[in-house]
Amino acid sequence: MTAQPTETTTLRAPLRARASVPLHAPSASTASRPTTSSTGPQVALTVLCAAYATGSALGWGSEEIALFMGDFGLSIAAAVAAVSNFLYARSRRSRFRPAWLLFALSSLMAALGNGMWGWYEVVLRVQVPTPSLADLFFLCFAPPAIIGLLVLAKRPVTKAGWICLGLDAWLIAGSLITLSWSLALAHTAESEGQSVTRTALSLAYPLLDIALVSMVLALHFRRSPGNRTAVNTAIGALALTVMCDALFTSPLLHASYRSGEILDAGWFAGSLLLAYAPWVGPMGGSSYEERAQGPGGRYQVSHTRPISGSLAALTPYLAAAVCTLGILYNVLNGHSVDRVVLFTACTVVLALVVRQGIMLLDNITLTQELAQKENHFRSLVQGSSDVIMIAAPNGILRYVSPAAAGVYGREADELVGSELASIIHPEDLGRVVHEVRRFLAASQVEEPTTRIECRFRSGTGAWLNVESTINRHHGGLILNSRDVTERVRLQAQLQHNAEHDPLTDLPNRALFTKRVGMALTGRRATDRGTAVLFIDLDGFKQVNDTIGHQAGDELLVQAARRLADSVRSGDTAARLGGDEFAALIVGDGGRDHTAREQQIYELADRLRIALSQPYTIDGHKDVRVAASIGVSFAEPEITAGELLRNADLAMYRAKAAGKGRVELYAPQMQADVVRKAELATRLRSALRDGEFALLHQPIVALDDGRITAVAAQARWRSSQGILFTPAEFLRVADDGERTAELGRWMLEQAVEQAADRRQSGHVTPVAVRMSARRLLDRAMPLSSIEALLTRHGLPSGSLVIELADSDPRVPLDELERRLTALRRLGVRIALDGFGSGYAAITALRRLPVDVLKLDRSLVEGVVESARLHKITSGLLRIAGDLGLASVADGVDLPEQVLALREMGCTHGQGMAFSGPLDEYRLRRALTSGEYPMPREAGEPVLAGAPGPRSHNETPVPPT
């Protein structure tokens, strides 16, 4: 059966499809992206709405089906909207989740209301009573929807804002009430024969719709930025519902409406749109926080469209216009103005006046704040030490802050109107233009600013280093610039200090190595004319020890100046550290390598002579040092480190050859270093494995042939069976840790074996050769020597220490004190190598010496050379005058024995008597006690000797 429209039917109709909350408008970046969601839900929604509309238009085929679809169909659609909103709220952890839950509750109330209506009309087939449970559910729909709108809206931050929000809502609601009352409500009341007041009370549902529409329109332009597509979909659903409500309440459709007609299709579509609204939009309807955040979680700024701001500003005036139209409608139709219309219009006008007053006060406050902020901004800009400039897109400066006068030395007015390029250094202009173009082409979100450092012209014409931070400004640029000239200067100074020697201001090792590497790369890689000179100042330590370190520093400064003056402008002179210098001589591209080598050698020799000239330092006019120079030439594929190493090896070869020389690198030098390193490694293991043996060579009195002492000598029989002499294995130790360990071993073995021989009745002093540096080593204190002698019970005079050298770097004062202390312990001192080196006479004058041991070089030529004969004779006469015993080293021939004895030499040591003996042969020689001495030239010395040559160990030649 078909139900006739009644008052109850009129009440339920506007809630057939309730409006949903507008969804979040998308951010600017999100709105600009294409929607990636599928079109399937949209097609399904369109098909359902079209099918329902078709069925409604055709009457569904029967009255029963029409009633069912008009009641339960709308209930199902509202239930779908409730479930959709609830699921969306559960799946999105956003701050708008409560709003969607409220909309789900609101839709649920509409679904229950329509369901109860269908229960009465379809199931029970009775007229719906008034009131009923359906009315209760319908009345519970509007409150949660209104609260949900408030949750979604952009909330005011001030009390005045909340008041204006309330006034705007009332302005809209009042206008809609005026219009509805004038067009429909008053006529409905008159047609039912009821009073207008009672009719207004009975029409609570349309009034709630009016309130809901008022909130939507008032808050639409205040909504938070979010998914605009979802918001527009929800507004479309609301607009469709309001339109259907308006048609239903109009006199044209009010009397003839029945459930299941075409008007229900509008409410049905509104419910489905509400169900679809939460999920529409980019990225499958993601939450506001997910969509509004840009890369890295940063929120993107949403720019409000101008039309939205305009409509929001016109809202109060549109409301007043609606009220006016409602009153004019009644007047023009000859009706008296209804009291409800009059009251509503008055309140709307009053609300408009109050709102305008609040806006006026708010505008005054904003104007004052704007002026205050403008003054504040002006003070910041004008008082800032940074220069702020605004450049137009064509590069013309539109604004320059007053700080330009202090920073650039140019007035701001002078710069305004000029081109930015005119104040940038020409060498920096291309780089600046390229960076600005790249910056303007980049994304503003990804690169909001950029930084450029270049040179600006100051008012004095000088160039200042300026650092500028650049921002976009209406297609142009905002430059925030500051003078960083002092910082750039400081950085350059720090860079210079990091690459230069602080004393001489020459390049240091790091910069020198870098330049050597640069010289060996590129087009110079095959230029064999490039050379490195490695220079060491001989005797520099003496300068420090004698006249002080300050004088040594001054000498280094003067030497650096001489070195820098001796090389070409394109070459590099450097100080590598201490008294070591270097020079890089870049090749000239010539193909004659031999001529280039000779040229570099001559340059190195001139440099050696220049560095060896006397220096005048603090009144000392004759301070002298020598220069040992090693030269290495670039080879194909050689590295900077290898070239420096080769020059260093050549320099050490020059020092070993007598110092004050120039040596060119040869590959054999590297081979010698490798052999030396291998021998040193084997020497370490030999000391640990006990491969050393101690031999003794007799020292014989030249007058009667008695053995007066023995000289201890170490021999090393390696695991390969090679016997090394001291000249070989001591050379590789270089007075290092191994030398100290070997010297300690020799001393302990010599004293121990001398004590054993003493117990056997052979009381013969033992001589141990030791360097001056070893004597001064803290690792061998006097207490250790005293303890060694005491432990083995050697009496005074049983140990002779042969001072192996008189190194000029050894302080004689300290050496004198050490030797004096040794003599107090009963240790005799022999000056070894006497007659060689200029320091021997000085040592003889200063040091407490008991024995002079002539150098082998004097003994070898004493017979053939009259000059050496005289020198040796003079030295022996000095020893006799000083009361010192003398020992000639290297006495190998009978003629030498005769000559030395005639000159007054008291003792001899050499192959003319015996070579180094092991312990067994030594004791046999000591048992005999003496060697026969030649009485005339040509007489065999060893005839009948206790230790004939054939029975002695013959020294193995060096390997």
Side-chain angles (χ1 to χ4, degrees):
M1 98 186 165
T2 305
Q4 297 296 324
T6 63
E7 178 184 21
T8 308
T9 307
T10 307
L11 292 177
R12 75 175 176 100
L15 274 84
R16 293 293 179 90
R18 293 300 177 182
S20 89
V21 180
L23 296 182
H24 313 292
S27 63
S29 60
T30 306
S32 62
R33 297 195 303 263
T35 301
T36 58
S37 60
S38 174
T39 58
Q42 300 175 6
V43 173
L45 179 64
T46 304
V47 170
L48 284 176
C49 292
Y52 193 96
T54 302
S56 299
L58 298 177
W60 297 104
S62 67
E63 291 186 3
E64 289 77 9
I65 298 176
L67 289 175
F68 181 86
M69 295 302 298
D71 295 331
F72 289 111
L74 296 182
S75 179
I76 292 172
V80 170
V83 173
S84 175
N85 283 272
F86 178 77
L87 293 177
Y88 181 84
R90 287 291 302 273
S91 64
R92 296 298 186 272
R93 299 294 180 181
S94 69
R95 63 189 180 96
F96 300 123
R97 181 184 177 188
W100 294 110
L101 290 174
L102 289 170
F103 298 145
L105 178 60
S106 179
S107 297
L108 178 62
M109 294 297 102
L112 293 175
N114 283 302
M116 288 302 300
W117 195 277
W119 175 262
Y120 287 115
E121 197 171 51
V122 177
V123 178
L124 300 180
R125 294 184 176 274
V126 298
Q127 185 175 357
V128 181
T130 304
S132 66
L133 286 178
D135 296 324
L136 177 62
F137 291 129
F138 287 147
L139 288 173
C140 292
F141 165 79
I146 294 174
I147 298 174
L149 283 173
L150 291 174
V151 173
L152 273 184
K154 182 179 179 182
R155 298 172 181 81
V157 296
T158 62
K159 293 182 180 179
W162 282 105
I163 295 175
C164 287
L165 177 60
L167 292 174
D168 289 344
W170 171 244
L171 287 172
I172 298 173
S175 64
L176 293 177
I177 291 174
T178 302
L179 185 60
S180 300
W181 196 276
S182 300
L183 296 178
L185 299 182
H187 296 287
T188 302
E190 291 175 359
S191 65
E192 297 292 333
Q194 299 178 2
S195 67
V196 175
T197 303
R198 184 171 180 179
T199 303
L201 291 175
S202 64
L203 299 181
Y205 298 129
L207 292 178
L208 286 175
D209 276 344
I210 291 174
L212 187 59
V213 172
S214 302
M215 290 300 301
V216 169
L217 294 179
L219 297 179
H220 172 62
F221 301 110
R222 297 174 180 266
R223 65 182 183 272
S224 299
N227 190 344
R228 290 188 179 276
T229 306
V231 171
N232 293 333
T233 303
I235 291 176
L238 176 63
L240 184 59
T241 302
V242 172
M243 181 184 68
C244 292
D245 289 346
L247 292 174
F248 176 80
T249 57
S250 67
L252 297 177
L253 297 180
H254 178 70
S256 60
Y257 171 77
R258 283 180 176 80
S259 296
E261 294 184 350
I262 190 64
L263 192 59
D264 290 347
W267 288 314
F268 182 83
S271 293
L272 292 186
L273 282 176
L274 177 59
Y276 176 65
W279 308 95
V280 72
M283 303 173 63
S286 59
S287 66
Y288 164 69
E289 283 78 7
E290 295 172 350
R291 293 189 303 271
Q293 288 182 10
R298 295 174 297 181
Y299 281 93
Q300 308 298 318
V301 178
S302 177
H303 300 282
T304 303
R305 292 176 295 179
I307 186 173
S308 299
S310 302
L311 291 176
L314 292 176
T315 300
Y317 303 100
L318 292 176
V322 170
C323 289
T324 304
L325 290 175
I327 297 173
L328 288 176
Y329 174 83
N330 285 277
V331 173
L332 293 177
N333 284 289
H335 302 290
S336 62
V337 178
D338 191 87
R339 286 179 296 175
V340 175
V341 175
L342 183 60
F343 176 78
T344 305
C346 291
T347 56
V348 167
V349 173
L350 179 60
L352 180 61
V353 172
V354 174
R355 188 184 188 282
Q356 287 298 104
I358 294 175
M359 290 185 61
L360 180 60
L361 295 176
D362 193 40
N363 288 338
I364 294 174
T365 303
L366 290 177
T367 303
Q368 293 175 349
E369 291 179 359
L370 180 60
Q372 182 180 3
K373 291 182 179 180
E374 183 179 357
N375 292 333
H376 181 64
F377 171 75
R378 184 181 294 107
S379 300
L380 288 177
V381 171
Q382 295 181 353
S384 173
S385 59
D386 294 351
V387 180
I388 300 175
M389 300 184 293
I390 299 178
N394 58 2
I396 302 298
L397 294 176
R398 292 179 176 176
Y399 172 81
V400 179
S401 66
V407 177
Y408 301 151
R410 304 175 66 177
E411 294 297 332
D413 295 339
E414 178 186 348
L415 292 173
V416 173
S418 61
E419 292 187 2
L420 180 61
S422 64
I423 62 175
I424 299 178
H425 196 285
E427 296 178 1
D428 300 339
L429 184 58
R431 175 173 55 85
V432 172
V433 171
H434 174 75
E435 174 62 19
V436 169
R437 289 178 177 173
R438 184 203 63 78
F439 171 66
L440 292 177
S443 171
Q444 184 174 359
V445 175
E446 297 178 357
E447 190 174 5
T449 63
T450 188
R451 189 180 64 86
I452 294 177
E453 189 170 319
C454 61
R455 286 168 289 180
F456 278 11
R457 185 189 301 276
S458 67
T460 60
W463 293 101
L464 304 175
N465 293 93
V466 175
E467 180 186 67
S468 302
T469 301
I470 300 180
N471 295 271
R472 298 173 179 85
H473 176 69
H474 299 305
L477 301 172
I478 296 180
L479 294 90
N480 192 334
S481 307
R482 64 181 58 187
D483 182 10
V484 293
T485 304
E486 187 63 23
R487 189 196 71 187
V488 172
R489 187 197 64 79
L490 179 60
Q491 288 177 344
Q493 183 64 38
L494 292 175
Q495 182 69 21
H496 179 85
N497 293 342
E499 296 180 339
H500 289 76
D501 174 56
L503 178 63
T504 62
D505 202 38
L506 291 179
N508 58 14
R509 182 183 294 272
L511 180 57
F512 184 76
T513 304
K514 183 189 300 183
R515 292 187 178 179
V516 172
M518 293 172 60
L520 297 178
T521 56
R523 62 182 182 86
R524 298 183 180 275
T526 58
D527 188 354
R528 301 181 63 187
T530 298
V532 169
L533 280 59
F534 207 102
I535 306 162
D536 185 84
L537 299 182
D538 304 319
F540 174 74
K541 188 176 185 302
Q542 272 189 313
V543 176
N544 278 340
D545 295 340
T546 54
I547 61 178
H549 288 273
Q550 185 174 357
D553 290 344
E554 178 60 28
L555 188 147
L556 291 176
V557 172
Q558 294 186 25
R561 190 178 302 118
R562 295 183 186 183
L563 175 61
D565 293 341
S566 300
V567 299
R568 301 172 303 180
S569 59
D571 300 331
T572 301
R575 183 192 177 201
L576 305 184
D579 59 346
E580 292 183 342
F581 294 85
L584 169 64
I585 311 300
V586 181
D588 56 5
R591 298 182 179 274
D592 192 345
H593 181 64
T594 302
R596 179 62 174 170
E597 185 175 299
Q598 181 62 30
Q599 180 185 2
I600 297 297
Y601 183 87
E602 293 175 356
L603 172 62
D605 194 57
R606 290 197 303 271
L607 183 57
R608 178 191 64 82
I609 296 173
L611 294 175
S612 302
Q613 294 299 316
Y615 295 85
T616 301
I617 301 173
D618 293 338
H620 301 275
K621 298 184 178 180
D622 197 17
V623 179
R624 292 179 178 269
V625 293
S628 296
I629 302 178
V631 182
S632 64
F633 289 90
E635 298 290 341
E637 305 300 329
I638 195 171
T639 64
E642 293 171 343
L643 189 59
L644 285 170
R645 180 204 63 194
N646 295 344
D648 193 14
L649 291 175
M651 185 272 293
Y652 276 106
R653 178 60 62 89
K655 294 176 73 69
K659 302 181 181 181
R661 299 167 54 90
V662 175
E663 287 286 342
L664 301 181
Y665 170 78
Q668 182 60 34
M669 296 180 183
Q670 179 64 22
D672 292 343
V673 171
V674 174
R675 179 179 177 275
K676 182 177 179 180
E678 293 176 350
L679 193 58
T681 302
R682 288 160 53 192
L683 178 61
R684 296 187 188 97
S685 60
L687 285 169
R688 183 181 63 253
D689 299 338
E691 297 179 0
F692 278 92
L694 194 65
L695 305 181
H696 294 83
Q697 188 173 25
I699 298 177
V700 180
L702 296 183
D703 54 352
D704 55 7
R706 289 180 300 107
I707 300 176
T708 59
V710 293
Q713 297 180 8
R715 290 292 187 272
W716 173 26
R717 188 176 299 278
S718 68
S719 58
Q720 289 82 10
I722 303 174
L723 187 67
F724 292 101
T725 62
E728 290 183 297
F729 61 75
L730 289 181
R731 185 177 60 215
V732 305
D734 288 336
D735 289 330
E737 181 181 352
R738 301 281 78 80
T739 303
E741 189 175 350
L742 179 61
R744 183 164 50 251
W745 177 85
M746 285 185 60
L747 180 61
E748 292 177 353
Q749 290 294 316
V751 171
E752 181 180 357
Q753 293 182 19
D756 291 342
R757 290 192 297 270
R758 181 178 179 80
Q759 291 178 359
S760 301
H762 302 295
V763 182
T764 306
V766 61
V768 180
R769 194 170 186 267
M770 194 172 296
S771 67
R773 296 173 65 88
R774 174 66 183 144
L775 279 174
L776 297 179
D777 191 355
R778 295 180 179 179
M780 193 186 71
L782 292 176
S783 58
S784 64
I785 299 178
E786 183 180 6
L788 182 64
L789 295 175
T790 303
R791 183 170 68 250
H792 294 285
L794 283 184
S796 176
S798 298
L799 177 63
V800 180
I801 291 182
E802 296 179 349
L803 192 61
D805 55 46
S806 53
D807 191 342
R809 295 175 293 180
V810 175
L812 290 180
D813 293 339
E814 187 176 351
L815 181 61
E816 182 181 2
R817 288 193 296 269
R818 180 60 62 93
L819 294 179
T820 302
L822 286 174
R823 292 188 69 185
R824 293 195 192 102
L825 298 177
V827 179
R828 301 176 66 194
I829 306 300
L831 185 60
D832 192 16
F834 188 71
S836 65
Y838 65 90
I841 299 299
T842 302
L844 181 61
R845 178 175 60 86
R846 296 281 304 275
L847 303 179
V849 178
D850 301 297
V851 180
L852 290 182
K853 193 169 185 180
L854 293 180
D855 188 70
R856 177 183 293 270
S857 61
L858 295 177
V859 177
E860 289 177 349
V862 71
V863 177
E864 294 83 1
S865 173
R867 185 181 183 87
L868 287 180
H869 188 281
K870 291 181 180 181
I871 293 174
T872 305
S873 177
L875 294 176
L876 291 173
R877 194 161 45 249
I878 292 175
D881 293 341
L882 295 177
L884 304 177
S886 56
V887 178
D889 187 17
V891 181
D892 298 333
L893 302 173
E895 294 82 0
Q896 296 171 346
V897 176
L898 295 174
L900 290 170
R901 187 169 56 193
E902 290 177 359
M903 288 187 284
C905 184
T906 59
H907 298 79
Q909 173 185 344
M911 296 302 297
F913 312 109
S914 173
L917 305 175
D918 58 20
E919 189 64 21
Y920 173 75
R921 291 183 175 89
L922 176 62
R923 294 201 179 199
R924 286 182 54 191
L926 293 176
T927 301
S928 175
E930 61 182 22
Y931 289 96
M933 293 292 104
R935 299 303 172 185
E936 57 185 18
E939 181 180 347
V941 177
L942 298 177
R949 183 185 298 268
S950 59
H951 294 164
N952 293 341
E953 178 180 291
T954 303
V956 179
T959 58

